[in-house]
Amino acid sequence: MSTDYIELDKLLKRENLAASGGEARALIDQGLVRVNGEVETRRRRKCRPGDLVVFAGTTLRVAALSPADGTGQNSGDGFSG
């Protein structure tokens, strides 16, 4: 992750858990996404390194890139699932 955070709807779309931003927002609105064990309904919730996001049986841990990974070219993209 090259910024301090990623918004929840963008995370779902980036990780292909939603086909579009609109679908991601609808899933969040329906209360189908959990962040750190709590149902999250804020579409633009800022997910930061260490946050645990769960949707439809998939768990993602938001991680920061190390300085050596700053280009995003390495195998780590800032998320683990």
Side-chain angles (χ1 to χ4, degrees):
M1 197 164 79
S2 59
T3 61
D4 292 338
Y5 65 88
I6 185 169
E7 293 170 351
L8 183 57
D9 58 341
K10 290 177 178 57
L11 173 64
L12 294 180
K13 185 172 182 264
R14 175 189 162 127
E15 296 301 307
N16 295 316
L17 295 176
S20 67
E23 181 183 27
R25 290 185 288 279
L27 296 169
I28 295 165
D29 288 345
Q30 293 172 36
L32 299 176
V33 181
R34 298 177 81 80
V35 177
N36 299 327
E38 302 286 330
V39 172
E40 183 57 71
T41 57
R42 293 174 290 171
R43 300 171 178 182
R44 298 183 73 186
R45 188 220 197 263
K46 292 179 172 116
C47 297
R48 300 184 187 278
D51 284 344
L52 198 63
V53 178
V54 179
F55 168 70
T58 298
T59 301
L60 300 171
R61 179 173 303 279
V62 180
L65 291 176
S66 68
D69 294 340
T71 63
Q73 300 295 319
N74 285 346
S75 61
D77 65 358
F79 304 98
S80 58

Coordinates of all heavy atoms in Angstrom, one line a residue:
M1 N 0.9 -1.2 0.0 CA 0.0 0.0 0.0 C 0.9 1.2 0.0 O 1.8 1.4 0.8 CB -0.9 -0.1 1.3 CG -2.1 0.8 1.2 SD -3.3 0.4 2.5 CE -2.6 1.1 3.9
S2 N 0.7 2.1 -0.9 CA 1.6 3.2 -1.1 C 1.1 4.5 -0.4 O 1.8 5.5 -0.3 CB 1.9 3.5 -2.5 OG 0.6 3.8 -3.2
T3 N -0.1 4.4 0.2 CA -0.7 5.6 1.0 C -0.9 5.1 2.4 O -0.7 3.9 2.7 CB -2.0 6.1 0.4 OG1 -3.0 5.0 0.4 CG2 -1.8 6.5 -1.1
D4 N -1.3 6.0 3.3 CA -1.5 5.6 4.7 C -2.8 4.8 4.8 O -3.0 4.1 5.8 CB -1.7 6.9 5.5 CG -0.4 7.7 5.6 OD1 0.7 7.0 5.5 OD2 -0.5 8.9 5.9
Y5 N -3.7 4.8 3.8 CA -5.0 4.1 3.9 C -5.5 3.8 2.6 O -5.1 4.4 1.6 CB -6.0 4.9 4.7 CG -6.4 6.2 4.1 CD1 -7.4 6.2 3.2 CD2 -5.7 7.4 4.3 CE1 -7.8 7.4 2.5 CE2 -6.1 8.6 3.7 CZ -7.1 8.5 2.8 OH -7.5 9.7 2.1
I6 N -6.5 2.9 2.5 CA -7.3 2.7 1.3 C -8.8 2.7 1.8 O -9.1 2.1 2.8 CB -6.9 1.4 0.6 CG1 -7.7 1.3 -0.7 CG2 -7.1 0.2 1.5 CD1 -7.2 0.2 -1.7
E7 N -9.6 3.3 1.0 CA -11.0 3.4 1.4 C -11.7 2.0 1.1 O -11.3 1.3 0.2 CB -11.8 4.4 0.6 CG -11.3 5.8 1.0 CD -11.8 6.9 0.0 OE1 -12.4 6.6 -1.0 OE2 -11.6 8.1 0.4
L8 N -12.6 1.6 2.0 CA -13.1 0.3 2.0 C -13.7 -0.1 0.7 O -13.5 -1.2 0.2 CB -14.2 0.1 3.1 CG -14.8 -1.2 3.3 CD1 -13.8 -2.3 3.6 CD2 -15.9 -1.2 4.5
D9 N -14.5 0.8 0.1 CA -15.1 0.4 -1.2 C -14.1 0.2 -2.3 O -14.2 -0.8 -3.1 CB -16.2 1.4 -1.7 CG -15.6 2.8 -1.8 OD1 -14.6 3.2 -1.3 OD2 -16.3 3.7 -2.5
K10 N -13.0 1.0 -2.3 CA -11.9 0.8 -3.2 C -11.1 -0.5 -3.0 O -10.7 -1.2 -3.9 CB -11.0 2.0 -3.2 CG -11.7 3.2 -3.8 CD -10.7 4.4 -3.6 CE -11.3 5.7 -4.2 NZ -12.6 6.1 -3.7
L11 N -11.0 -0.9 -1.7 CA -10.3 -2.1 -1.4 C -11.1 -3.3 -1.9 O -10.5 -4.2 -2.5 CB -10.2 -2.3 0.2 CG -9.7 -3.6 0.7 CD1 -8.2 -3.8 0.2 CD2 -9.8 -3.7 2.2
L12 N -12.4 -3.3 -1.7 CA -13.2 -4.4 -2.2 C -13.1 -4.6 -3.8 O -13.0 -5.7 -4.3 CB -14.7 -4.3 -1.8 CG -15.0 -4.4 -0.4 CD1 -16.5 -4.2 -0.1 CD2 -14.5 -5.7 0.2
K13 N -13.1 -3.4 -4.4 CA -13.0 -3.4 -5.9 C -11.6 -3.9 -6.3 O -11.4 -4.7 -7.2 CB -13.3 -2.0 -6.4 CG -13.4 -2.0 -8.0 CD -13.9 -0.7 -8.5 CE -13.9 -0.7 -10.0 NZ -12.8 -0.1 -10.6
R14 N -10.6 -3.3 -5.7 CA -9.2 -3.6 -6.0 C -8.9 -5.1 -5.9 O -8.2 -5.7 -6.7 CB -8.3 -2.8 -5.1 CG -6.8 -3.2 -5.4 CD -5.9 -2.6 -4.3 NE -4.7 -3.2 -4.3 CZ -3.5 -2.7 -4.4 NH1 -3.4 -1.4 -4.5 NH2 -2.4 -3.4 -4.4
E15 N -9.5 -5.7 -4.9 CA -9.2 -7.1 -4.6 C -10.2 -8.1 -5.3 O -10.3 -9.2 -5.0 CB -9.2 -7.4 -3.1 CG -8.1 -6.7 -2.4 CD -6.7 -7.1 -2.9 OE1 -6.4 -8.3 -2.9 OE2 -5.9 -6.2 -3.2
N16 N -11.0 -7.5 -6.2 CA -12.0 -8.2 -7.0 C -13.0 -9.0 -6.2 O -13.5 -10.0 -6.6 CB -11.3 -9.2 -8.0 CG -10.4 -8.5 -9.0 OD1 -10.9 -7.6 -9.6 ND2 -9.2 -9.0 -9.2
L17 N -13.4 -8.4 -5.0 CA -14.5 -8.9 -4.2 C -15.8 -8.3 -4.7 O -16.9 -8.8 -4.3 CB -14.2 -8.7 -2.8 CG -13.0 -9.4 -2.2 CD1 -12.8 -9.0 -0.7 CD2 -13.2 -10.9 -2.3
A18 N -15.7 -7.2 -5.4 CA -16.8 -6.5 -6.0 C -16.5 -6.2 -7.5 O -15.3 -5.9 -7.8 CB -17.2 -5.3 -5.3
A19 N -17.4 -6.3 -8.4 CA -17.2 -6.1 -9.8 C -17.0 -4.6 -10.1 O -16.4 -4.3 -11.1 CB -18.3 -6.7 -10.6
S20 N -17.6 -3.8 -9.3 CA -17.5 -2.3 -9.6 C -17.6 -1.6 -8.2 O -17.9 -2.2 -7.2 CB -18.7 -1.9 -10.4 OG -19.9 -2.0 -9.7
G21 N -17.3 -0.3 -8.3 CA -17.4 0.5 -7.1 C -18.8 0.6 -6.6 O -19.1 0.6 -5.4
G22 N -19.8 0.6 -7.5 CA -21.2 0.7 -7.1 C -21.6 -0.6 -6.4 O -22.3 -0.6 -5.4
E23 N -21.1 -1.7 -6.9 CA -21.4 -3.0 -6.2 C -20.8 -3.0 -4.9 O -21.4 -3.4 -3.9 CB -20.9 -4.2 -7.0 CG -21.3 -5.5 -6.4 CD -20.8 -6.7 -7.1 OE1 -19.8 -6.6 -7.9 OE2 -21.4 -7.8 -6.9
A24 N -19.5 -2.5 -4.8 CA -18.8 -2.5 -3.5 C -19.6 -1.7 -2.5 O -19.8 -2.1 -1.3 CB -17.4 -2.0 -3.6
R25 N -20.1 -0.5 -2.9 CA -20.9 0.4 -2.0 C -22.2 -0.3 -1.6 O -22.6 -0.2 -0.4 CB -21.1 1.7 -2.7 CG -19.8 2.5 -2.8 CD -20.0 3.9 -3.3 NE -20.3 4.0 -4.7 CZ -19.4 3.9 -5.7 NH1 -18.2 3.8 -5.4 NH2 -19.8 3.9 -7.0
A26 N -22.8 -1.0 -2.5 CA -24.1 -1.7 -2.1 C -23.8 -2.8 -1.1 O -24.6 -3.0 -0.2 CB -24.7 -2.3 -3.4
L27 N -22.7 -3.5 -1.3 CA -22.4 -4.6 -0.3 C -22.2 -4.0 1.1 O -22.6 -4.6 2.1 CB -21.2 -5.4 -0.8 CG -21.4 -6.1 -2.1 CD1 -20.0 -6.6 -2.6 CD2 -22.3 -7.3 -2.0
I28 N -21.5 -2.9 1.1 CA -21.2 -2.2 2.4 C -22.5 -1.7 3.0 O -22.7 -1.9 4.2 CB -20.1 -1.1 2.2 CG1 -18.8 -1.7 1.7 CG2 -20.0 -0.3 3.4 CD1 -17.8 -0.7 1.2
D29 N -23.3 -1.1 2.2 CA -24.6 -0.6 2.7 C -25.5 -1.7 3.3 O -26.2 -1.4 4.2 CB -25.4 0.1 1.5 CG -24.8 1.4 1.1 OD1 -24.0 2.0 1.8 OD2 -25.2 1.9 0.0
Q30 N -25.4 -2.9 2.7 CA -26.2 -4.0 3.2 C -25.6 -4.6 4.5 O -26.2 -5.6 5.0 CB -26.2 -5.1 2.1 CG -27.0 -4.7 0.9 CD -26.9 -5.7 -0.2 OE1 -26.9 -6.9 0.0 NE2 -26.9 -5.2 -1.5
G31 N -24.5 -4.1 4.9 CA -23.9 -4.7 6.2 C -23.2 -6.0 6.0 O -23.1 -6.8 6.9
L32 N -22.7 -6.3 4.8 CA -22.1 -7.6 4.5 C -20.6 -7.6 4.7 O -20.0 -8.7 4.5 CB -22.4 -8.0 3.0 CG -23.9 -8.1 2.7 CD1 -24.1 -8.4 1.3 CD2 -24.5 -9.2 3.6
V33 N -20.0 -6.5 5.1 CA -18.6 -6.4 5.2 C -18.2 -6.1 6.7 O -18.9 -5.3 7.3 CB -18.0 -5.3 4.3 CG1 -16.5 -5.2 4.5 CG2 -18.4 -5.5 2.9
R34 N -17.2 -6.8 7.2 CA -16.8 -6.6 8.6 C -15.4 -6.1 8.6 O -14.5 -6.5 7.8 CB -16.9 -7.9 9.4 CG -18.3 -8.4 9.5 CD -18.3 -9.7 10.3 NE -18.2 -9.6 11.7 CZ -19.3 -9.3 12.5 NH1 -20.4 -9.1 12.0 NH2 -19.1 -9.2 13.8
V35 N -15.1 -5.1 9.4 CA -13.7 -4.6 9.6 C -13.4 -4.7 11.1 O -14.1 -4.2 11.9 CB -13.6 -3.1 9.1 CG1 -12.2 -2.6 9.4 CG2 -14.0 -3.0 7.7
N36 N -12.3 -5.4 11.3 CA -11.9 -5.7 12.7 C -13.0 -6.3 13.6 O -13.2 -5.9 14.7 CB -11.3 -4.4 13.3 CG -10.1 -3.9 12.6 OD1 -9.3 -4.7 12.0 ND2 -9.9 -2.6 12.5
G37 N -13.8 -7.2 13.0 CA -14.8 -7.9 13.7 C -16.1 -7.1 13.8 O -17.1 -7.7 14.4
E38 N -16.2 -5.9 13.3 CA -17.5 -5.1 13.4 C -18.1 -4.9 12.0 O -17.3 -4.7 11.1 CB -17.1 -3.8 14.0 CG -16.5 -3.8 15.4 CD -17.5 -4.2 16.5 OE1 -18.7 -3.9 16.3 OE2 -17.1 -4.8 17.5
V39 N -19.4 -5.0 11.9 CA -20.0 -4.7 10.7 C -19.7 -3.2 10.3 O -19.8 -2.3 11.2 CB -21.6 -4.9 10.8 CG1 -22.3 -4.4 9.5 CG2 -21.9 -6.4 11.0
E40 N -19.3 -3.0 9.1 CA -19.0 -1.6 8.7 C -19.9 -1.2 7.6 O -20.0 -1.9 6.6 CB -17.5 -1.6 8.2 CG -17.0 -0.3 7.8 CD -17.1 0.7 8.9 OE1 -16.4 0.6 9.9 OE2 -18.0 1.6 8.8
T41 N -20.5 0.0 7.8 CA -21.4 0.5 6.8 C -21.0 1.8 6.2 O -21.6 2.4 5.3 CB -22.9 0.7 7.3 OG1 -22.8 1.5 8.5 CG2 -23.5 -0.7 7.7
R42 N -19.8 2.3 6.6 CA -19.2 3.5 6.0 C -18.5 3.1 4.7 O -17.4 2.4 4.8 CB -18.3 4.2 7.0 CG -19.0 4.7 8.2 CD -18.0 5.3 9.2 NE -17.3 4.1 9.8 CZ -16.2 4.2 10.6 NH1 -15.7 5.4 10.9 NH2 -15.6 3.2 11.1
R43 N -19.0 3.5 3.6 CA -18.4 3.1 2.3 C -16.9 3.6 2.2 O -16.1 2.9 1.6 CB -19.1 3.8 1.2 CG -20.6 3.5 1.1 CD -21.3 4.4 0.1 NE -22.7 4.0 0.0 CZ -23.5 4.6 -0.8 NH1 -23.0 5.6 -1.6 NH2 -24.7 4.3 -0.9
R44 N -16.6 4.7 2.7 CA -15.3 5.3 2.5 C -14.4 5.2 3.8 O -13.5 5.9 4.0 CB -15.4 6.7 2.1 CG -16.1 6.8 0.7 CD -16.2 8.2 0.2 NE -14.9 8.6 -0.3 CZ -14.6 9.8 -0.7 NH1 -15.5 10.7 -0.8 NH2 -13.4 10.1 -1.1
R45 N -14.8 4.2 4.6 CA -14.0 4.0 5.8 C -12.5 3.8 5.4 O -12.2 3.1 4.5 CB -14.5 2.7 6.5 CG -13.8 2.5 7.9 CD -13.4 1.1 8.1 NE -13.2 0.8 9.5 CZ -12.0 0.8 10.0 NH1 -10.9 1.0 9.3 NH2 -11.8 0.5 11.3
K46 N -11.7 4.4 6.1 CA -10.2 4.4 5.8 C -9.7 3.1 6.5 O -9.6 3.0 7.7 CB -9.5 5.6 6.4 CG -9.9 6.9 5.6 CD -9.2 8.1 6.1 CE -9.5 9.2 5.2 NZ -10.2 10.3 5.8
C47 N -9.3 2.2 5.6 CA -8.6 0.9 6.1 C -7.1 1.2 6.2 O -6.5 1.6 5.2 CB -9.0 -0.2 5.2 SG -10.7 -0.6 5.1
R48 N -6.6 0.9 7.3 CA -5.1 1.2 7.5 C -4.4 -0.1 7.8 O -5.0 -1.1 8.1 CB -5.0 2.1 8.7 CG -5.7 3.5 8.4 CD -5.4 4.5 9.6 NE -6.2 5.7 9.4 CZ -5.9 6.7 8.6 NH1 -4.8 6.7 7.9 NH2 -6.7 7.8 8.5
P49 N -3.1 -0.1 7.7 CA -2.3 -1.3 8.0 C -2.7 -1.9 9.3 O -2.8 -1.2 10.3 CB -0.8 -0.8 8.0 CG -0.9 0.3 7.0 CD -2.2 1.0 7.3
G50 N -2.9 -3.2 9.3 CA -3.3 -4.0 10.5 C -4.8 -4.3 10.5 O -5.2 -5.2 11.2
D51 N -5.6 -3.5 9.8 CA -7.0 -3.8 9.7 C -7.3 -5.1 9.1 O -6.7 -5.5 8.1 CB -7.8 -2.7 9.0 CG -7.9 -1.4 9.8 OD1 -7.7 -1.4 11.0 OD2 -8.2 -0.3 9.2
L52 N -8.3 -5.8 9.6 CA -8.8 -7.1 9.1 C -10.1 -6.9 8.5 O -11.1 -6.5 9.1 CB -8.8 -8.1 10.2 CG -8.8 -9.5 9.9 CD1 -7.5 -9.9 9.2 CD2 -9.0 -10.4 11.1
V53 N -10.3 -7.2 7.2 CA -11.5 -7.0 6.4 C -12.0 -8.3 6.0 O -11.3 -9.1 5.4 CB -11.3 -6.1 5.2 CG1 -12.6 -5.9 4.4 CG2 -10.8 -4.7 5.6
V54 N -13.3 -8.6 6.3 CA -13.9 -9.9 6.0 C -15.2 -9.7 5.2 O -16.0 -8.9 5.5 CB -14.3 -10.7 7.3 CG1 -14.9 -12.1 6.9 CG2 -13.0 -10.9 8.1
F55 N -15.2 -10.4 4.0 CA -16.4 -10.4 3.2 C -16.5 -11.7 2.4 O -15.6 -12.2 1.8 CB -16.3 -9.2 2.2 CG -17.4 -9.3 1.1 CD1 -18.7 -9.1 1.4 CD2 -17.1 -9.7 -0.2 CE1 -19.7 -9.2 0.5 CE2 -18.1 -9.9 -1.1 CZ -19.4 -9.6 -0.8
A56 N -17.7 -12.3 2.5 CA -18.1 -13.5 1.7 C -17.0 -14.6 1.9 O -16.6 -15.2 0.9 CB -18.3 -13.2 0.3
G57 N -16.6 -14.8 3.1 CA -15.6 -15.9 3.4 C -14.2 -15.6 3.0 O -13.3 -16.4 3.2
T58 N -13.9 -14.4 2.6 CA -12.5 -13.9 2.3 C -12.1 -13.0 3.3 O -12.8 -12.0 3.7 CB -12.5 -13.2 0.9 OG1 -12.9 -14.2 -0.1 CG2 -11.1 -12.7 0.6
T59 N -10.9 -13.2 3.9 CA -10.3 -12.3 4.9 C -9.1 -11.6 4.3 O -8.2 -12.3 3.7 CB -9.9 -13.1 6.1 OG1 -11.1 -13.8 6.6 CG2 -9.3 -12.2 7.2
L60 N -9.0 -10.3 4.4 CA -7.9 -9.5 4.0 C -7.3 -8.8 5.2 O -8.0 -8.2 6.0 CB -8.3 -8.5 2.9 CG -8.9 -9.0 1.6 CD1 -9.5 -7.8 0.9 CD2 -7.9 -9.8 0.8
R61 N -6.0 -8.8 5.3 CA -5.3 -8.0 6.3 C -4.6 -6.9 5.5 O -3.8 -7.2 4.6 CB -4.3 -8.8 7.1 CG -3.6 -7.9 8.1 CD -2.7 -8.7 9.1 NE -3.4 -9.7 9.8 CZ -4.1 -9.5 10.9 NH1 -4.3 -8.3 11.4 NH2 -4.7 -10.5 11.6
V62 N -4.9 -5.7 5.9 CA -4.3 -4.5 5.2 C -2.9 -4.4 5.8 O -2.7 -4.4 7.0 CB -5.1 -3.2 5.5 CG1 -4.4 -2.0 4.8 CG2 -6.5 -3.4 5.0
A63 N -1.9 -4.3 4.9 CA -0.5 -4.2 5.3 C 0.2 -3.1 4.5 O -0.2 -2.7 3.4 CB 0.2 -5.5 4.9
A64 N 1.1 -2.5 5.2 CA 1.9 -1.4 4.6 C 3.1 -2.0 3.8 O 3.6 -3.1 4.2 CB 2.5 -0.5 5.7
L65 N 3.4 -1.4 2.7 CA 4.6 -1.8 2.0 C 5.9 -1.4 2.8 O 5.9 -0.3 3.3 CB 4.7 -1.2 0.6 CG 3.6 -1.7 -0.4 CD1 3.7 -0.9 -1.7 CD2 3.8 -3.2 -0.7
S66 N 6.9 -2.3 2.8 CA 8.1 -1.8 3.4 C 8.8 -0.9 2.4 O 8.5 -0.8 1.2 CB 9.0 -3.1 3.6 OG 9.4 -3.6 2.3
P67 N 9.7 0.0 2.9 CA 10.4 0.9 2.0 C 11.0 0.3 0.8 O 11.0 0.9 -0.3 CB 11.5 1.6 2.9 CG 10.9 1.4 4.3 CD 10.2 0.1 4.3
A68 N 11.5 -0.9 0.9 CA 12.1 -1.6 -0.2 C 11.0 -1.9 -1.3 O 11.4 -2.2 -2.4 CB 12.8 -2.9 0.2
D69 N 9.8 -2.0 -0.9 CA 8.7 -2.4 -1.8 C 8.0 -1.2 -2.3 O 6.9 -1.3 -2.9 CB 7.6 -3.3 -1.1 CG 8.2 -4.6 -0.7 OD1 9.2 -5.0 -1.2 OD2 7.6 -5.2 0.2
G70 N 8.5 0.0 -2.2 CA 7.8 1.2 -2.5 C 7.2 1.3 -3.9 O 6.3 2.1 -4.1
T71 N 7.8 0.6 -4.8 CA 7.3 0.7 -6.2 C 6.1 -0.2 -6.4 O 5.4 0.0 -7.4 CB 8.4 0.2 -7.2 OG1 8.7 -1.1 -6.9 CG2 9.6 1.1 -7.1
G72 N 5.8 -1.1 -5.5 CA 4.7 -2.0 -5.7 C 5.0 -3.1 -6.7 O 4.2 -3.8 -7.1
Q73 N 6.3 -3.2 -7.1 CA 6.7 -4.1 -8.1 C 6.9 -5.5 -7.5 O 7.0 -6.5 -8.3 CB 8.0 -3.7 -8.8 CG 7.8 -2.4 -9.5 CD 6.8 -2.4 -10.7 OE1 6.8 -3.4 -11.4 NE2 5.9 -1.4 -10.8
N74 N 7.2 -5.6 -6.2 CA 7.4 -6.9 -5.6 C 6.1 -7.7 -5.5 O 5.0 -7.2 -5.8 CB 8.0 -6.8 -4.2 CG 9.5 -6.4 -4.4 OD1 10.1 -6.5 -5.4 ND2 10.1 -5.9 -3.3
S75 N 6.2 -8.9 -5.0 CA 5.1 -9.8 -4.9 C 4.0 -9.3 -4.0 O 2.9 -9.5 -4.1 CB 5.5 -11.2 -4.6 OG 6.1 -11.2 -3.3
G76 N 4.5 -8.5 -2.9 CA 3.5 -8.0 -2.0 C 2.9 -6.8 -2.5 O 3.5 -5.9 -3.0
D77 N 1.5 -6.7 -2.4 CA 0.8 -5.5 -2.9 C 0.2 -4.7 -1.8 O -0.6 -3.8 -2.1 CB -0.2 -5.9 -4.0 CG -1.3 -6.7 -3.4 OD1 -1.3 -7.0 -2.2 OD2 -2.3 -7.1 -4.1
G78 N 0.6 -5.1 -0.6 CA 0.1 -4.3 0.5 C -1.1 -5.0 1.2 O -1.6 -4.5 2.2
F79 N -1.6 -6.1 0.6 CA -2.7 -6.9 1.2 C -2.3 -8.3 1.3 O -1.6 -8.8 0.5 CB -3.9 -6.7 0.3 CG -4.3 -5.2 0.1 CD1 -3.9 -4.6 -1.0 CD2 -4.9 -4.5 1.1 CE1 -4.2 -3.2 -1.2 CE2 -5.2 -3.2 1.0 CZ -4.8 -2.5 -0.2
S80 N -2.9 -9.0 2.3 CA -2.7 -10.4 2.4 C -4.1 -11.0 2.6 O -5.0 -10.4 3.2 CB -1.8 -10.8 3.5 OG -2.3 -10.3 4.7
G81 N -4.3 -12.2 2.0 CA -5.6 -12.8 2.1 C -5.5 -14.2 2.3 O -4.6 -14.9 2.2

